[in-house]
């Protein structure tokens, strides 16, 4: 991996501040915060392209924007088309080969990777560990009921605005409680396998309420410059080349709400107490599991 800094992998569920924190850390002078490349989701580039075809093409946006940016120095409809042709031509590449290629493109910067799909299952996380055995891992958490409520509000807005074709049918089979339990349990089980010092758990609410302190601590943990100039650069996620909506054929790559307003507000984020406390006896099985996970992560 040449002399670039060790990669940083941000783990977390959706709606847990991973986009803004990714871009903030990625603005360190020695790092680059990538959009969601999803490169560990499948064994090969071809399988990834097939998975994210037709109605799921938006999930290619992060990888396409990354390649367009480093190949051509800009993200336009034309450079996105060129990036897609490049991936098609290298569809036989394994996840290791596309990872090594991105490392060459981003050198001498260290990559900050935050694809939510990385946390999907143990197979995906195993691919990350195989590709980057010495990576740093940051598990960004948020009070679980706040995550679930935020995701439900986002779904409701999408349905109301007609931006979620077919979502009503999917919701009948989809439980946000199940989503949170599965992803969080998968992350915690994986974190337990890592050597001491290779990972940290971080409350997103605490980070956003006192970002300079936590950024300095993260830099010191990773052995990077933690001086005032580096920290000041990291306070401006809007300066990331990916912190804006992409061209029409690859708009996404991160949270759309973040991409529309990427500047860091600096406003404290309130941590709400768990409505379903872990010690209550009138909870459903899922509520009890969520409450215990929240308690395990330090939310009471």
């Amino acid at each position: 991996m040449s002399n670039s800094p060790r990669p940083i992998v941000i783990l977390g569920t959706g709606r847990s501040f991973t986009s803004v924190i990714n871009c903030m850390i990625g603005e360190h002078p020695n790092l680059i915060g990538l959009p969601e490349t999803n490169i560990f989701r499948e064994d090969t580039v071809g399988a990834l392209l097939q998975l994210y075809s037709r109605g799921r093409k938006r999930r290619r946006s992060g990888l396409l924007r990354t390649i367009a940016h480093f190949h051509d120095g800009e993200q336009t409809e034309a450079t996105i088309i060129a990036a897609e042709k490049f991936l098609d031509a290298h569809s036989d590449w394994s996840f290791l080969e596309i990872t090594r290629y991105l490392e060459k493109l981003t050198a001498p910067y260290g990559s900050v990777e935050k694809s939510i799909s990385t946390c999907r299952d143990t197979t995906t996380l195993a691919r990350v560990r195989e590709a980057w055995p010495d990576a740093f891992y940051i598990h960004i958490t948020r009070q679980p009921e706040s995550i679930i409520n935020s995701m439900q509000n986002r779904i409701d807005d999408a349905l109301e605005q007609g931006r979620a074709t077919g979502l009503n049918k999917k919701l009948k089979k989809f439980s946000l409680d199940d989503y949170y339990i599965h992803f969080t349990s998968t992350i915690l089980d994986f974190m337990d396998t890592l050597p001491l010092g290779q990972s940290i758990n971080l409350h997103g609410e605490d980070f956003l309420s006192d970002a300079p302190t936590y950024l300095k601590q993260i830099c010191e943990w990773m052995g990077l410059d933690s001086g005032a100039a580096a920290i000041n650069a990291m306070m401006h996620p809007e300066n990331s080349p990916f912190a804006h909506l992409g061209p029409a054929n690859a708009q996404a790559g991160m949270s759309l709400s973040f991409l529309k307003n990427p500047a860091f507000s600096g406003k404290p984020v309130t941590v709400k107490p768990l409505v379903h406390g872990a010690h209550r006896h009138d909870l459903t099985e899922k509520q009890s599991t969520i409450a215990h996970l929240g308690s395990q992560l330090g939310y009471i």
Side-chain angles (χ1 to χ4, degrees):
M1 223 175 326
S2 71
N3 295 318
S4 299
R6 291 161 62 180
I8 301 140
V9 181
I10 293 179
L11 305 176
T13 69
R15 312 307 295 169
S16 57
F17 313 118
T18 57
S19 290
V20 62
I21 294 175
N22 168 77
C23 284
M24 292 180 78
I25 295 174
E27 279 305 290
H28 186 281
N30 299 121
L31 301 174
I32 177 70
L34 300 178
E36 296 189 15
T37 63
N38 296 305
I39 54 175
F40 301 110
R41 180 67 179 84
E42 295 289 337
D43 279 325
T44 67
V45 170
L48 182 66
L49 296 178
Q50 180 61 35
L51 179 67
Y52 295 148
S53 61
R54 298 184 181 180
R56 306 179 77 190
K57 269 197 167 185
R58 196 183 78 171
R59 298 194 181 184
R60 299 182 182 188
S61 294
L63 182 56
L64 292 170
R65 292 180 65 181
T66 299
I67 291 174
H69 176 77
F70 287 102
H71 275 191
D72 299 297
E74 60 180 352
Q75 301 165 51
T76 66
E77 290 191 40
T79 62
I80 293 296
I81 291 171
E84 192 152 31
K85 289 180 179 178
F86 174 84
L87 290 177
D88 286 337
H90 294 86
S91 61
D92 61 333
W93 273 3
S94 69
F95 72 92
L96 286 173
E97 288 174 302
I98 187 65
T99 301
R100 298 292 174 256
Y101 184 73
L102 292 183
E103 287 170 1
K104 291 178 182 179
L105 286 183
T106 58
Y109 303 104
S111 297
V112 187
E113 159 66 32
K114 65 131 289 181
S115 303
I116 299 298
S117 66
T118 298
C119 312
R120 182 180 181 87
D121 53 44
T122 55
T123 301
T124 309
L125 286 165
R127 292 190 189 105
V128 183
R129 200 166 187 179
E130 182 179 350
W132 289 334
D134 64 345
F136 290 105
Y137 293 87
I138 304 176
H139 180 196
I140 306 295
T141 67
R142 183 182 181 186
Q143 199 263 39
E145 291 162 352
S146 295
I147 288 176
I148 292 169
N149 290 338
S150 179
M151 293 186 74
Q152 187 62 62
N153 290 337
R154 184 184 180 195
I155 289 169
D156 291 343
D157 288 344
L159 290 170
E160 186 176 330
Q161 296 174 27
R163 292 186 289 104
T165 305
L167 192 54
N168 273 315
K169 294 180 180 179
K170 293 179 182 179
L171 286 175
K172 292 178 181 178
K173 301 178 181 180
F174 184 65
S175 162
L176 294 177
D177 290 350
D178 288 334
Y179 167 89
Y180 178 82
I181 291 169
H182 172 73
F183 272 68
T184 302
S185 298
T186 300
I187 294 168
L188 290 175
D189 288 345
F190 174 74
M191 296 278 279
D192 284 342
T193 70
L194 297 173
L196 187 66
Q198 196 171 348
S199 66
I200 57 173
N201 289 292
L202 178 62
H203 285 191
E205 299 96 336
D206 292 344
F207 177 96
L208 296 179
S209 297
D210 190 9
T213 296
Y214 284 98
L215 288 170
K216 183 176 177 63
Q217 291 175 355
I218 290 169
C219 289
E220 291 172 348
W221 169 56
M222 296 187 300
L224 297 174
D225 176 18
S226 60
I231 301 303
N232 182 63
M234 297 167 84
M235 293 295 291
H236 293 280
E238 70 275 11
N239 291 336
S240 165
F242 305 107
H244 56 82
L245 290 171
N249 52 349
Q251 281 197 315
M254 297 188 203
S255 162
L256 290 178
S257 58
F258 167 73
L259 294 178
K260 292 174 182 177
N261 185 23
F264 177 58
S265 70
K267 296 178 181 178
V269 179
T270 302
V271 183
K272 299 178 181 179
L274 287 168
V275 173
H276 299 120
H279 300 292
R280 284 177 50 175
H281 300 289
D282 59 341
L283 305 181
T284 66
E285 182 178 352
K286 289 180 183 179
Q287 288 173 337
S288 179
T289 301
I290 291 170
H292 282 288
L293 286 171
S295 179
Q296 185 178 346
L297 292 169
Y299 296 99
I300 57 175

